[in-house]
Amino acid sequence: MSVVRDLVELVLLKMVHQRFSTKCRKKNEVDILPCPPQSPDLNLIENIWGDMEAYLGRRYGRVASREELIRAMKEVWKAIHSGRFIDLCRSMPK
C-alpha cells in the first residue's frame, strides 16, 4: 500500500504523531509517496480548492461574516458536480 501526502507538516502533530505514524507505517508496510505542497498535478484537493475559490469569488465577492462563509461553503460544495472528482482522478499520472 502507498499513501500520497504533501510535504506540509502540522506543527502540533510533529513530535508524537510522527513517532506513532512511523511505527504504524513500518508495521503495516505502508510507503509514503511525497509530493510538493499545493501541486495540482499530484494533490487533487488543490484543484477542488481552486474551483471553490473561483465559485465563491463569482457568486459572493467577499463574505461579510463567519455565518455567511459557512453558508457559502456549503453551497459551493454542493455545486461541485461528482463528475469533476472522477475527471480529476482520471487525470492523475499513472
Side-chain angles (χ1 to χ4, degrees):
M1 177 197 306
S2 296
V3 174
V4 176
R5 74 173 190 191
D6 64 24
L7 299 176
V8 177
E9 293 292 336
L10 298 174
V11 176
L12 296 175
L13 297 176
K14 219 168 193 176
M15 301 274 290
V16 174
H17 182 263
Q18 280 185 351
R19 287 186 195 135
F20 177 74
S21 64
T22 300
K23 288 178 186 177
C24 285
R25 285 195 314 265
K26 287 180 180 179
K27 179 180 176 184
N28 294 295
E29 300 178 8
V30 175
D31 297 323
I32 297 295
L33 305 173
C35 68
Q38 299 181 340
S39 169
D41 295 337
L42 300 175
N43 192 348
L44 301 181
I45 195 65
E46 295 298 334
N47 290 286
I48 299 300
W49 290 135
D51 294 350
M52 293 174 78
E53 184 177 19
Y55 181 96
L56 288 171
R58 285 191 308 272
R59 178 95 163 91
Y60 291 93
R62 257 184 108 100
V63 294
S65 67
R66 180 177 183 266
E67 291 77 22
E68 185 181 4
L69 177 60
I70 291 169
R71 189 172 52 253
M73 292 301 291
K74 288 178 180 179
E75 177 186 322
V76 71
W77 184 256
K78 289 178 183 176
I80 299 171
H81 190 272
S82 62
R84 176 69 171 135
F85 297 103
I86 294 167
D87 292 342
L88 286 172
C89 289
R90 288 183 179 150
S91 74
M92 289 288 295
K94 296 181 182 189

